[in-house]
Amino acid sequence: MAVLEVKDLHVEVVDQEKKISKEILKGVNLTVKTGEIHAIMGPNGTGKSTLSETIMGNPRYHVTSGQILLNGENIVGMPVDERARKGLFLAMQYPAEVPGVTNTEFLRAAINARRPKDNPVPIREFLQELDKNMDLLDMKQSMTERYLNEGFSGGEKKRNEILQMLMIKPSFGILDEIDSGLDIDALRVVARGVNAMRGDNFGALMITHYQRLLDYIVPDVVHVMMGGKVVKDGGPDLAKKLEDEGYAGLRDELGLDIELVDEN
Amino acid sequence: MVNTEVDFWEKRRQAALAAYETGKLPYIQRFHYQDWTLFDETQPLASDSGLLDQALLKTDPQQIKIVQFGKSTILIQVPEKLLQAGLIVCDLKTALKEHPDLIEKYYMTQVIKPDENKLLSYHAAFCEAGLVIYVPAKMELAEPIEVELVGDATRKQPWLHHLLLIAGANSSLKFVQHLSTIGEQPQIANLVAEVVAGPNSHIEFSSLDEVGKNTTLYFNRRANLDADSHLEWNCAFMNDADSIGDVCSELVGQGSYGYSKAIAVTAGDEQMAVNNLVINRGRHTTGLINQRGVLLDNSKLIFNGIGQIVHGASGSKADQKNRVLMMSDNAHGDANPLLLIDENDVVAAHAASVGPVDPVQMNYLMSRGIPYPKAERMVIHGFLDAVLSGMPKGMVRDRMLTILERKLIHGQRQRFSEV
Ligand SMILES: Nc1ncnc2c1ncn2[C@@H]1O[C@H](COP(=O)(O)OP(=O)(O)O)[C@@H](O)[C@H]1O
Ligand SMILES: [Mg+2]
């Protein structure tokens, strides 16, 4: 069993325009084990993407205090590629486009990065696995030779993130708003992909704004984030309650002094 | 040349010699090369084909393939069927004997002129080696014409070569050349290519330049485009040599289209300057430039993109993109777009950028476990793809990818402990 722990995490980003840094995460605590699916819900602008990018190791986010432990090892300061090879995966809210690099080429490089230099994945084995996973996600064969995310629709990008996760088989998948911009059919397909990963060797941290996703991927634990902190933990019921009462309702119930970007 | 029957030839060479003596070096914006050695008046000797990598000589009978080494022609293979249909492929010496009319009409008379600058006068006065290709009207070549041009630097001697490529009306062809050198002796190279694109012809001209370190290279590639013709340049400058040169499309005929794509990877102490020019002369012509450079180590690269729309070329379009990636703090690079517009009814645009690899792309690739150096090479490959993908599949393209990977890895070894 693998464990991912976030302890009292404080994170700052430097605002590119104003050239000042501001604190986004103000002491996040969280523990995820393989075999578990966690959901993080929270209003816009509360720091959900900041949390996922920071766990993954995007150099734009600066940890000012606290720890991120993967199986007991503090990975703060570890480069993003090393964290990935240790079993972390982030399905990004806004995946980058890389013209000139095909999807297949990229996936093979990612898989081979986890293998000894002199033992790359056999092409046949790779292609079989790729076919299987693309079928699962209802993806067209032509996607393999297209340039990475270039000109992909929102839905295609999300599927492509899940495809990568299925191919790479990480211990922990962090899924940042994998549901945003998807219609119900696409959402079902994406959920099918994530559910296929479910099992003793996989844990997930699903970030979402809406409860809807959780009907398709039922979480074991739900965390609510507001104002850069986890303010409440619960089961799937908590998500339903939020859907009914809204974030403002929960905030008032908890007596928190937080301004929501878009009150809903 | 030895052939005394060809009167005009001797006369022209004498005139060129006079022009050479008084001529001036061409001006290249933001680049100093005036102290380079660019002339060598000695006579090159014949080269021994035994020195060549024998893989270069491999052909299949369907292929059009030419191998020239120094001033010597080693191989010319053309399917018999095409010869019968009027295709001409021969070296310059043979062309002077068998097709003097072609030489008299086209050789440095229409596209490039000997008195434009000292380097071209020198070329006209001294060059004896070359290749002449004439594709008759309506001929459509299914397979690319593959040309290996190898400089012989096993002795100190100049490498001069002239390519004359004439595409008749409504013809279509792909041309792929690979420039390389053998030997380590200091050498000057002066390589000129003239392309005559007949009405409604379609030409894709690709070149992989892999000229060795101790050579100093001047090149000039220029095409005149007749009405409704279409020409694409795909130039991959992967030299170790210091080099200067021009790639130019003269859009003379109405409705002609020229797209000039170029990439350069410079490394070590290498210096390179390219003028990539597209000149809209005819009405409704389209001239596009897309140049991308990658600078490693202490190298210097200047990409001048020059788009000119002359008066009268109404309804024309000029667009250019120049991008340079700086992979080292010690490298010096510049991407200079220049638009010279003398006509109102046109569409023109340009873009230029100089910078490091995109950190967002890097983070994305690395977030999948790909180590920094590999991710960087992938991003650079992707960056150069605009041109790489234009080269026809085959030996030259494979060679290009191999050299690119080698250059990038070599450059990375200077910066990272593990590559
Ligand atoms: N890279 C960044 N540069 C500057 N500000 C950022 C950056 N990333 C996030 N922020 C700011 O941090 C806050 C939280 O953003 P984010 O983590 O994206 O929230 P969420 O994902 O919950 O909507 C917002 O105010 C946002 O503007
Ligand atoms: Mg977000």
Side-chain angles (χ1 to χ4, degrees), chain A residues 56 58-59 80-81 84-85 89-90 92 96-97 99-101 106 110 113-114 117 147 149 161 164, chain B residues 358 360-372 374 378-379 381-383 385 389 418-419:
Chain A
M56 194 67 230
N58 186 329
V80 55
D81 58 316
R85 293 193 299 273
F89 181 94
L90 169 60
M92 297 191 191
E97 301 192 359
V101 175
F106 167 59
R114 290 162 170 80
K117 254 200 167 116
Y147 290 151
N149 295 325
E161 293 290 288
Q164 292 168 34
Chain B
D358 181 354
V360 175
Q361 293 182 340
M362 285 299 293
N363 181 64
Y364 188 68
L365 297 189
M366 288 172 69
S367 77
R368 302 310 183 228
I370 301 171
Y372 191 98
K374 171 75 179 169
M378 291 177 80
V379 170
H381 260 277
F383 171 76
D385 184 74
S389 62
E418 203 170 308
V419 171

Side-chain angles (χ1 to χ4, degrees), chain A residues 12-17 20 22-25 40-53 58 60-61 93-94 176-177 207 209 225 228 261:
Chain A
E12 283 183 0
V13 292
V14 178
D15 191 301
Q16 299 289 29
E17 281 158 27
I20 47 163
K22 62 174 175 179
E23 182 165 66
I24 309 292
L25 299 187
I40 296 188
M41 301 186 67
N44 278 328
T46 209
K48 302 184 299 296
S49 293
T50 301
L51 175 64
S52 38
E53 292 282 0
N58 186 329
R60 288 189 61 176
Y61 298 85
Q93 186 170 4
Y94 304 107
D176 192 359
E177 300 219 12
I207 287 160
H209 189 73
M225 239 179 110
V261 177

